[in-house]
Amino acid sequence: MTGSILTAIGKAKLARATSENQLEITHVAVGDGNGSYPVLTENMVALANEVWRGTASTPVRDSLAPNTLMFESGIPVDVGGFTIREIAVFDRSGVMIAIGHVDPAQQIPLPKQSSGIPMTVRILILLANATETNLILQTEKMEWQAGKGMEQEQLEEPVTHVSRRKLLTAFGMAGAALAAGSILPGSVAAYGNEGLSVADTVYGGANGKGKIPPGIAAKLTHNELAGLDTAGAHPASAILDSSGLSQQQVNDCNRCVDSISDMLAIISPENGMRVAVKGYHSPDIFIELNPYKGGGDFIWDATSTSTANGGTVFQVAGVATGRWIRLDCSEVTVEMFGSKGDGVYDDRPSFQAAINYLHGRGGGELVVPKPIIEYRWKSYDATNSACLVIPAPTRSIYLDPISIRGTANLTSIKVDLGPGVTIEAAILLKGGGLYKKFENLSVWGGATATAPNCNYVLKGSDTYYPNMAIRQCQFYVAKKDCVRLATYVTLLEQLQTAYSPRGIVVAGPGVNDSGVCTSVTLNSCYALNHTEFGYWFGESTYMTFNSCAADHIINDTGNGVAAYPYYVDIARGVAFNGCGAEGSTRIMKVRVAQGLNINGFMTLSIGNATTPPDHLIRIDGGSSTTISGLWNHNKLGATYVLSLGNTFSAESVTILDQSIFSTEVTYSSNWRFENPIRFLLNDFSKKTQDNTLTNTGNATTNTTNLVNLTKLAYDTELVHDVIIRLPSGDYEINGTVYLCNSKTRGVGRVRLIGHADGTSRIVFSGNGGIAFGIPSQLSSVNFTVENVEFHLGPAIHASNKGVMFYKANVAFTNAKITSNDGAKQYYSAGQATLTLDNNSRIMTPLYGAIEVAYSYKAAAAPTNSTKLPAGTVFKASDPNSTRIGWINTADNGASWLPMVVT
């Protein structure tokens, strides 16, 4: 018989112990040896198969053996269903100090077969000398002597420590054997190779170290105790109940094993046999770090041929008929299918097996418990190019919903396929289906932020996936998009993305992002560290972004894509409420807006001081957009807040408050523009704008300055006048200045006013010129020219017309058009209307057609006696006759020149 031994670690700890730093034994554990007695070695660190552990008593001294200590622990009455073949003690740090055999083996029945008396297990440790016993912590002095039980100083024996001698005296050996669970008749004495069982120690054994006390043997009515174990004296197979069921059959039908592999190793299980499996896998040495997980109760169905799935149905190798069936599947977890979550094991097959099981039973929720470290997916489905595939519903899109829920705060899952491997998705949805949910998960498409293995982390775009819900999840690390969904009526809440070109992408099915997505709500979502877009939405109808953020959206890849935190291709009824962006190149782009509301939008550190963007928000076209509460804090070199594209209709954008100034808005030229932006509060165009030019002496600079002032007129709706005051003397320009464009409208006027000294003259050189209106466009704005002379100087190009009228209403007051040699022409086209007062003159020939406010029914030239305003053009009233007009080119009103009006 092999006795108990101190482990190598136990010896080392005892050698290091001192009277001030004693070794403390805290636990006693027992095991079933995996069905046999293990070979004991001092290098062992755990029982072969631990089945129960309890708190150890304070060490008890043997008065007859000063170098021996005994420890005991009580197995509660509600614990059982196993056989004890091994026993060990552990210190406070969980290190096994000593291990021994329990011989004969003791069967602890299930609680329902128990007598209700706690089982006491004991182990004796033999030390080198009595001095070493002082190195083991003892909280109260207790002594024990073989055959005499335990004694405390001046205390009666505790009720819970019924001595073996007293119990056996009361019951006899037969009584003790039948009172299974009341006491373990066979503790282990640790005497090395000379070790004895407790029966040997207390009563004497085969080696002659003692004998059975008188009176005990007389009570034994069956076999002699010496040389026999309890099972031999009273075999469980011989103990029958009233139905004929033997105790052995009860034991076999109610077993506890350590792992699934132990259950599958049971030889010839009987139909209906039940097994309690502590964990899917046996735990590591340090059970606190890798405890039992995924266990449960199983029953052997000898008639079953169900397909094994690695979680709820198990097939024994080589057995065609008969399956182990898990009894409780009310909550399905990945640990039930073999996941470890230790950061090393490949958990992907267990995740997929669990999803397949749920899919097969018509949907349900997969629970992902808190991992020991994190779950790792180290393999993938090559057919679908994905780690986890959620199949298409087998009945209809309205049935078979599947959800995945983490139980810890952001349960971590990482794809870890190694370098050089790229798959389509970490999680791939197939075939549509409603009500898919993801909650409390942190899924990475690569082991680190810089090592993506997946194009997408979560992808469901082969068709629509309506009524989805994604709550408190992180989807990180992808080569394309972290999340790509075709969906509608969906809630995204506290969803975070990072480390990919695009974060959250919601668009219709297909590779071209076509199709409408509608009724999607985003609450408190966050996109971080993307190189193209934080949020990319395709054709979107009635969607809402609430308290969403996008930070550090900067494209430094060199691929030329303009990065935006927010992008909407078509926004129909889309609202941004209380959202923001930080540390990015720009803010937002909307290609077509048809009912867009941006309300309470805050930005921080947008732009780049070295290479500033040309805009922060860009809206390319559409109608019915409102903006308010836009706060751009610490803009970095940005010049413009809002940039509009070229497909707008009139008044398509309305600024509701003073968060955007009209000077912070720019437009692109397009003939369809009338007035795309309307400022309700902060609209400078509704107030008279009085601006004065300064003569720089440089024709090019003068031209630029005049152009900049005219933009105040045609970039806004004119309700009041825009005044441009000229300096005294000549103001030379060498380029064409348009005083309006196709967008300019309103009841206000554009007024060119000369200096009070009457010397203001705009001199045209090169291609210099003034244009009232633009070609082929009707302007509804009125112009006045007051105390100004337009002069075509000697340096003007020969083909230049100088002053041009395009369908404009222009009034001259004390104004003139003159030229250097009298031969230069001014130009009119498009039914312009010109009014001259008595002090105004046009003293150069006209090219084109123009009408003056007064008309005169005569084909002959007027005379000064007509008393009509000088410069009045007359034309015949007969539409069938040649229509001759007249214009006075002389200050004295005597030089009338005819012109043909066509």
Side-chain angles (χ1 to χ4, degrees):
M1 177 178 62
T2 302
S4 302
I5 62 173
L6 290 169
T7 65
I9 298 178
K11 290 179 180 179
K13 286 205 167 193
L14 191 61
R16 292 194 300 269
T18 65
S19 58
E20 290 78 16
N21 186 24
Q22 295 174 302
L23 177 63
E24 183 180 4
I25 304 298
T26 59
H27 289 85
V28 176
V30 296
D32 65 4
N34 279 324
S36 62
Y37 286 101
V39 177
L40 302 182
T41 70
E42 66 177 15
N43 294 324
M44 298 179 73
V45 294
L47 293 171
N49 186 35
E50 182 177 319
V51 295
W52 178 85
R53 178 179 293 209
T55 302
S57 69
T58 189
V60 182
R61 299 173 182 273
D62 189 341
S63 59
L64 299 181
N67 59 336
T68 301
L69 293 178
M70 181 179 72
F71 297 88
E72 66 178 12
S73 188
I75 301 178
V77 296
D78 58 350
V79 175
F82 49 80
T83 299
I84 301 178
R85 295 184 180 87
E86 51 184 343
I87 188 168
V89 291
F90 297 81
D91 71 358
R92 182 166 295 280
S93 63
V95 172
M96 191 169 73
I97 303 300
I99 184 171
H101 286 161
V102 175
D103 190 6
Q106 302 299 316
Q107 289 190 357
I108 309 301
L110 288 171
K112 63 182 180 180
Q113 281 90 38
S114 171
S115 65
I117 302 176
M119 172 73 68
T120 299
V121 292
R122 294 170 178 168
I123 179 171
L124 274 69
I125 300 178
L126 178 63
L127 304 175
N129 52 65
T131 304
E132 286 190 342
T133 62
N134 297 324
L135 301 178
I136 298 179
L137 182 65
Q138 186 175 32
T139 58
E140 54 182 330
K141 186 177 180 181
M142 300 183 66
E143 294 189 352
W144 169 84
Q145 180 179 341
K148 293 186 178 182
M150 295 182 296
E151 297 177 356
Q152 291 180 289
E153 285 188 90
Q154 300 177 351
L155 293 175
E156 294 294 330
E157 181 179 348
V159 175
T160 56
H161 293 166
V162 180
S163 72
R164 187 171 296 99
R165 176 176 57 82
K166 290 181 180 179
L167 188 65
L168 292 182
T169 300
F171 287 104
M173 180 53 67
L178 292 174
S182 62
I183 189 169
L184 176 60
S187 297
V188 177
Y191 290 114
N193 291 332
E194 298 293 329
L196 303 174
S197 69
V198 75
D200 295 324
T201 304
V202 179
Y203 303 115
N207 56 11
K209 289 187 177 181
K211 60 183 179 180
I212 302 173
I216 298 297
K219 296 180 181 294
L220 302 179
T221 57
H222 293 329
N223 302 69
E224 293 294 332
L225 180 62
L228 296 176
D229 60 18
T230 304
H234 296 279
S237 59
I239 303 175
L240 306 179
D241 62 13
S242 59
S243 66
L245 185 66
S246 70
Q247 182 65 44
Q248 185 64 51
Q249 290 173 310
V250 172
N251 294 343
D252 287 343
C253 287
N254 297 275
R255 296 186 59 177
C256 179
V257 298
D258 190 66
S259 64
I260 294 294
S261 60
D262 293 338
M263 179 185 72
L264 297 177
I266 295 175
I267 300 174
S268 302
E270 294 188 11
N271 188 43
M273 178 179 182
R274 295 193 178 195
V275 174
V277 180
K278 289 194 290 185
Y280 198 103
H281 305 279
S282 297
D284 294 340
I285 294 174
F286 300 102
I287 191 170
E288 290 83 1
L289 296 179
N290 187 11
Y292 290 102
K293 292 184 175 183
D297 295 328
F298 290 81
I299 188 170
W300 177 256
D301 184 349
T303 65
S304 176
T305 58
S306 299
T307 302
N309 58 24
T312 63
V313 179
F314 291 89
Q315 181 177 6
V316 177
V319 177
T321 303
R323 301 288 188 270
W324 286 108
I325 308 297
R326 187 183 290 270
L327 293 176
D328 183 7
C329 299
S330 57
E331 180 179 84
V332 179
T333 72
V334 293
E335 292 172 340
M336 290 167 51
F337 288 80
S339 281
K340 288 186 176 181
D342 60 3
V344 178
Y345 186 74
D346 182 10
D347 298 299
R348 187 206 69 85
S350 58
F351 272 75
Q352 189 64 64
I355 289 293
N356 292 344
Y357 165 72
L358 288 173
H359 179 258
R361 78 176 196 181
E365 180 183 70
L366 175 61
V367 177
V368 186
K370 179 181 179 181
I372 299 169
I373 299 176
E374 64 186 12
Y375 296 98
R376 291 268 175 158
W377 292 349
K378 295 186 173 183
S379 57
Y380 63 94
D381 181 336
T383 301
N384 293 290
S385 188
C387 286
L388 186 65
V389 180
I390 299 181
T394 55
R395 293 177 290 178
S396 76
I397 64 170
Y398 301 99
L399 303 173
D400 307 340
I402 286 181
S403 303
I404 304 178
R405 175 176 60 88
T407 61
N409 184 26
L410 295 174
T411 302
S412 180
I413 304 167
K414 288 186 177 179
V415 174
D416 186 5
L417 303 179
V421 179
T422 299
I423 61 175
E424 186 68 359
I427 302 175
L428 181 65
L429 310 180
K430 295 187 65 178
L434 281 71
Y435 307 115
K436 288 180 170 56
K437 297 180 182 179
F438 299 89
E439 185 175 358
N440 224 11
L441 301 174
S442 178
V443 184
W444 290 49
T448 66
T450 58
N453 288 128
C454 305
N455 289 329
Y456 307 89
V457 182
L458 173 63
K459 183 181 182 184
S461 60
D462 58 324
T463 184
Y464 283 105
Y465 293 86
N467 298 92
M468 290 189 67
I470 302 178
R471 295 186 178 92
Q472 199 169 345
C473 288
Q474 293 175 343
F475 294 103
Y476 288 170
V477 189
K479 291 189 173 183
K480 293 182 179 179
D481 308 337
C482 286
V483 176
R484 169 65 171 91
L485 296 174
T487 185
Y488 51 85
V489 194
T490 282
L491 174 63
L492 307 178
E493 194 165 62
Q494 291 183 288
L495 171 59
Q496 299 183 25
T497 61
Y499 313 121
S500 66
R502 304 193 298 184
I504 301 174
V505 177
V506 175
V511 297
N512 296 321
D513 297 334
S514 60
V516 179
C517 291
T518 186
S519 297
V520 177
T521 300
L522 291 87
N523 293 330
S524 300
C525 295
Y526 186 35
L528 174 68
N529 288 334
H530 297 292
T531 57
E532 294 183 8
F533 303 96
Y535 305 87
W536 197 102
F537 278 58
E539 188 171 351
S540 305
T541 304
Y542 34 98
M543 293 186 180
T544 304
F545 294 73
N546 296 316
S547 301
C548 295
D551 294 346
H552 307 294
I553 314 299
I554 299 174
N555 193 347
D556 55 4
T557 65
N559 64 359
V561 177
Y564 291 89
Y566 301 87
Y567 174 86
V568 183
D569 188 57
I570 300 177
R572 296 190 176 101
V574 174
F576 290 86
N577 299 316
C579 298
E582 181 177 334
S584 302
T585 308
R586 295 176 176 85
I587 300 174
M588 180 185 299
K589 179 179 179 181
V590 179
R591 190 175 67 85
V592 178
Q594 296 169 335
L596 172 64
N597 190 321
I598 303 173
N599 178 36
F601 202 104
M602 184 268 182
T603 69
L604 176 64
S605 301
I606 299 295
N608 184 296
T610 305
T611 56
D614 54 357
H615 63 273
L616 299 185
I617 296 178
R618 176 175 176 175
I619 302 175
D620 280 350
S623 61
S624 303
T625 292
T626 59
I627 301 175
S628 63
L630 178 61
W631 182 33
N632 291 319
H633 181 66
N634 191 30
K635 290 181 292 184
L636 300 179
T639 303
Y640 304 112
V641 170
L642 191 63
S643 176
L644 296 182
N646 56 9
T647 59
F648 277 101
S649 59
E651 293 187 355
S652 58
V653 178
T654 302
I655 311 299
L656 299 178
D657 59 4
Q658 301 183 41
S659 62
I660 300 178
F661 291 87
S662 58
T663 54
E664 295 178 299
V665 178
T666 187
Y667 312 90
S668 60
S669 178
N670 182 276
W671 66 272
R672 291 184 59 187
F673 272 111
E674 294 181 11
N675 190 64
I677 290 188
R678 181 163 57 103
F679 292 87
L680 292 188
L681 295 179
N682 188 14
D683 187 355
F684 288 155
S685 68
K686 293 187 177 182
K687 305 171 181 64
T688 298
Q689 301 174 66
D690 200 327
N691 307 276
T692 301
L693 286 167
T694 300
N695 190 357
T696 66
N698 182 280
T700 300
T701 303
N702 283 347
T703 304
T704 300
N705 292 341
L706 181 54
V707 167
N708 288 337
L709 285 183
T710 60
K711 285 187 175 181
L712 293 175
Y714 66 70
D715 273 356
T716 56
E717 179 180 5
L718 296 182
V719 180
H720 296 82
D721 291 349
V722 175
I723 298 174
I724 301 174
R725 296 186 183 273
L726 295 167
S728 61
D730 289 353
Y731 187 90
E732 183 181 355
I733 63 174
N734 60 9
T736 300
V737 178
Y738 290 90
L739 297 178
C740 69
N741 69 4
S742 62
K743 300 173 291 184
T744 310
R745 69 177 185 175
V747 297
R749 295 173 299 171
V750 178
R751 299 174 60 188
L752 294 178
I753 301 178
H755 196 271
D757 63 8
T759 65
S760 295
R761 188 167 73 158
I762 297 179
V763 178
F764 307 118
S765 64
N767 289 316
I770 291 287
F772 296 91
I774 62 174
S776 304
Q777 294 293 310
L778 174 63
S779 174
S780 62
V781 177
N782 295 320
F783 302 89
T784 67
V785 180
E786 307 167 41
N787 300 321
V788 177
E789 178 181 345
F790 296 124
H791 183 71
L792 287 79
I796 196 167
H797 292 163
S799 61
N800 197 355
K801 308 296 188 302
V803 182
M804 292 156 281
F805 301 92
Y806 299 104
K807 291 186 177 179
N809 300 315
V810 186
F812 275 29
T813 301
N814 194 28
K816 298 177 181 180
I817 301 177
T818 63
S819 66
N820 181 58
D821 56 8
K824 303 299 182 182
Q825 297 175 319
Y826 67 99
Y827 178 77
S828 176
Q831 299 177 357
T833 300
L834 175 63
T835 300
L836 294 84
D837 72 352
N838 287 334
N839 297 316
S840 298
R841 299 287 188 271
I842 299 178
M843 302 175 66
T844 182
L846 168 72
Y847 177 81
I850 192 168
E851 290 189 9
V852 180
Y854 275 89
S855 296
Y856 182 71
K857 297 180 180 179
T863 64
N864 289 337
S865 61
T866 61
K867 306 300 182 182
L868 295 175
T872 300
V873 174
F874 301 92
K875 63 182 180 181
S877 60
D878 184 359
N880 297 318
S881 65
T882 302
R883 305 178 66 190
I884 302 297
W886 305 89
I887 190 162
N888 192 353
T889 61
D891 283 341
N892 59 11
S895 179
W896 291 92
L897 297 178
M899 70 174 184
V900 176
V901 181
T902 61

